[in-house]
Amino acid sequence: MHVPAQVPMNARPYPPAPRLVPGLGILPLVLSLLLSACTTSAVTPLPATAPPPVYDYPFANPWVATVVGTPADQKIVFPDEPRPVRRQLAVFPGRAIPEGFWYYEALNYSVLLQPGPAPLVFVIAGTGASDRSRLTTALGHILHAQGMHVVLLPSPTHANFIVTASENFLPGLGQQDATDLLRVMHGVKDQLADTIAITGYGITGYSLGAWHAAFTAEMDSRQPDGFGFDRVLLVNPPVSLYRSIGEIDAMLLKALPDGADSIRAFLDKAISRLTQAYTSTDALDFTSQDLALETYRALKPSDASLATAIGLSFRLSTMNMIFTSDVMSHAGYIFPADRTFESDTETELYVGVALRTSFLDYFGDIFSEYYMARTDEWPDREALIAQSSLESIGGWLSANPDAAVVTNADDVILAEGDLEKLEQLFQGRATVFPTGGHMGNMQHRAFAAAVARFFAR
């Protein structure tokens, strides 16, 4: 189903910037991607029988949408929603954790629970995101407001998950990550068993978390003691992880003529432009729910700069993932295999190397070598690339009436032809918004209503 874009009669155009400053000035926009700070506001969620909200999302440019997100006056807001409560799970009791990761004693997850019996929905965060990230929490609030127990899980690519819950410390293989996630989910269920009544199970995730949700639900369906998820929703998923990673890595270079070596110059220039823009104005209000929008209006960065900001945000997440994976697996790719990682270890050199290492480098140099050497199932890189596609579990997705996808026609992580593949995989169960880029509209009232309606049906 393609959702039409509409402009209500009383819609107000977004006012122009108070003043324009040429150049990049994307640092606050980068920060807006990296920081999961904003809390959503609230309005009572739409009843299941009410007509869907008008889709009046204002940004037709997918780069702007991805970076700026949803303007505050269009967000679904939940004034009475509680803050998620963080809990911990010892997935591998007794595991030796390097002292340098002293802050990761166990896996962190968060819950939003109902007072009475209700279905429980697991929410899996996107690339490198924690259980407390802005989008993870926003998705959790949408579901909790619909009367569900919600468990928020970090991405298997988050350092906390790699250190405490990954079996082999090498995220990125659908089957292995699903095995790790199911182990965690059963542990969480056991922890919650004495405190809540659960009437059924659902699973969802956004971006890479959606990809994980699909592989996890498919694996669960083959287990005799599985959850039996009766709702599986993919929000802005990649079709092929490998293909989307290639798209995102290419974004990083759009405004970096000298490649990753010019990241520092890019950021220095961004800070300079930001300083120029705000020299004669009020100080930046980092609590503003429209910080990214206000900065975008003021600085008007180019599409290439916005693409680089998106690519840089992803690179910083993968840098953390690759460094953590390398330390924990003793692969010796970046951090010496025979060296102990401690809290006073100088990391500047290693971080610099990690920042120049793309996910595709990780895939080719560590990930592929590991799996090709240990199993006959993945004899070559082509087999590993093929398994990274939702098409590898396409038969299950197509045949499962309880699995659906919500995405955007202009999602910047989708390669050419990927949108059509999603619609083929989820025949009649794909909701496609015309704009929104990658996750830019997830907090829009209409997008949130589409998510809520799927779980409330």
Side-chain angles (χ1 to χ4, degrees):
M1 176 184 72
H2 283 250
V3 178
Q6 300 181 40
V7 180
M9 294 298 291
N10 60 349
R12 293 179 291 108
Y14 279 83
R19 62 194 180 86
L20 300 179
V21 177
L24 296 174
I26 53 71
L27 181 60
L29 304 176
V30 175
L31 290 174
S32 77
L33 284 168
L34 304 179
L35 300 177
S36 302
C38 290
T39 56
T40 46
S41 34
V43 181
T44 303
L46 203 69
T49 56
V54 170
Y55 188 64
D56 54 357
Y57 188 74
F59 306 121
N61 182 324
W63 305 112
V64 176
T66 302
V67 173
V68 174
T70 303
D73 63 352
Q74 294 188 343
K75 286 182 181 177
I76 184 81
V77 284
F78 304 102
D80 300 324
E81 274 296 290
R83 294 174 64 87
V85 176
R86 174 167 274 184
R87 301 189 178 190
Q88 291 192 319
L89 177 70
V91 182
F92 294 108
R95 167 175 281 186
I97 297 176
E99 192 273 338
F101 293 123
W102 59 270
Y103 40 85
Y104 290 148
E105 295 180 346
L107 180 78
N108 297 320
Y109 70 96
S110 296
V111 297
L112 289 159
L113 303 178
Q114 304 290 343
L120 186 150
V121 181
F122 291 99
V123 177
I124 306 172
T127 306
S130 78
D131 57 309
R132 286 182 169 176
S133 75
R134 173 175 57 90
L135 293 178
T136 311
T137 303
L139 193 50
H141 276 151
I142 293 169
L143 298 170
H144 185 258
Q146 294 298 320
M148 298 166 194
H149 301 302
V150 179
V151 172
L152 309 177
L153 298 175
S155 168
T157 59
H158 187 272
N160 174 238
F161 195 105
I162 295 171
V163 171
T164 66
S166 172
E167 184 175 334
N168 63 7
F169 315 113
L170 293 170
L173 186 74
Q175 287 81 350
Q176 181 60 56
D177 290 355
T179 299
D180 291 338
L181 282 163
L182 284 172
R183 185 185 302 111
V184 166
M185 291 174 181
H186 281 286
V188 169
K189 184 187 75 171
D190 291 344
Q191 278 195 343
L192 298 177
D194 294 334
T195 58
I196 60 173
I198 301 171
T199 59
Y201 293 95
I203 186 170
T204 186
Y206 64 89
S207 191
L208 179 61
W211 182 86
H212 278 126
F215 279 95
T216 302
E218 190 277 337
M219 178 174 286
D220 178 81
S221 72
R222 294 185 274 113
Q223 297 183 347
D225 58 347
F227 288 98
F229 296 111
D230 52 21
R231 298 287 186 277
V232 180
L233 182 64
L234 281 57
V235 178
N236 283 89
V239 174
S240 163
L241 176 59
Y242 186 86
R243 226 168 26 237
S244 286
I245 294 300
E247 294 288 320
I248 296 170
D249 271 347
M251 294 176 200
L252 175 66
L253 303 179
K254 285 185 179 293
L256 299 179
D258 298 323
D261 288 340
S262 54
I263 288 177
R264 181 181 293 276
F266 178 80
L267 289 175
D268 287 346
K269 191 172 185 179
I271 293 171
S272 174
R273 297 300 187 193
L274 179 65
T275 302
Q276 292 176 36
Y278 285 93
T279 295
S280 59
T281 63
D282 294 336
L284 274 174
D285 178 8
F286 284 99
T287 66
S288 170
Q289 296 221 11
D290 271 336
L291 173 63
L293 174 59
E294 292 163 3
T295 307
Y296 169 74
R297 287 173 179 166
L299 304 181
K300 296 288 186 184
S302 66
D303 286 356
S305 295
L306 291 170
T308 293
I310 296 167
L312 181 56
S313 172
F314 184 82
R315 178 62 62 88
L316 292 173
S317 292
T318 55
M319 176 188 76
N320 200 26
M321 179 200 79
I322 293 169
F323 178 79
T324 305
S325 175
D326 192 45
V327 170
M328 293 301 295
S329 65
H330 298 282
Y333 186 59
I334 294 174
F335 192 79
D338 58 353
R339 185 172 182 183
T340 302
F341 179 55
E342 298 179 338
S343 53
D344 60 354
T345 299
E346 292 288 341
T347 58
E348 184 175 354
L349 172 63
Y350 308 121
V351 169
V353 175
L355 187 58
R356 289 166 173 76
T357 305
S358 71
F359 192 97
L360 295 182
D361 293 329
Y362 161 81
F363 179 88
D365 296 338
I366 304 178
F367 180 91
S368 297
E369 295 300 323
Y370 176 89
Y371 283 106
M372 289 190 299
R374 284 167 176 77
T375 71
D376 296 329
E377 193 172 0
W378 322 110
D380 50 42
R381 292 183 183 179
E382 285 66 32
L384 285 166
I385 291 171
Q387 70 77 35
S388 80
S389 172
L390 292 179
E391 294 173 289
S392 67
I393 54 171
W396 183 83
L397 291 172
S398 296
N400 187 347
D402 297 319
V405 64
V406 180
T407 191
N408 301 318
D410 63 349
D411 192 331
V412 295
I413 73 165
L414 296 180
E416 184 177 356
D418 279 354
L419 180 62
E420 290 73 19
K421 287 188 174 69
L422 281 176
E423 293 184 300
Q424 290 168 7
L425 287 172
F426 297 90
Q427 300 167 16
R429 291 171 277 117
T431 299
V432 181
F433 288 84
T435 57
H438 186 60
M439 307 303 307
N441 57 346
M442 199 185 87
Q443 292 176 277
H444 187 279
R445 292 181 293 263
F447 196 99
V451 172
R453 285 170 185 275
F454 174 76
F455 282 93
R457 68 190 173 93

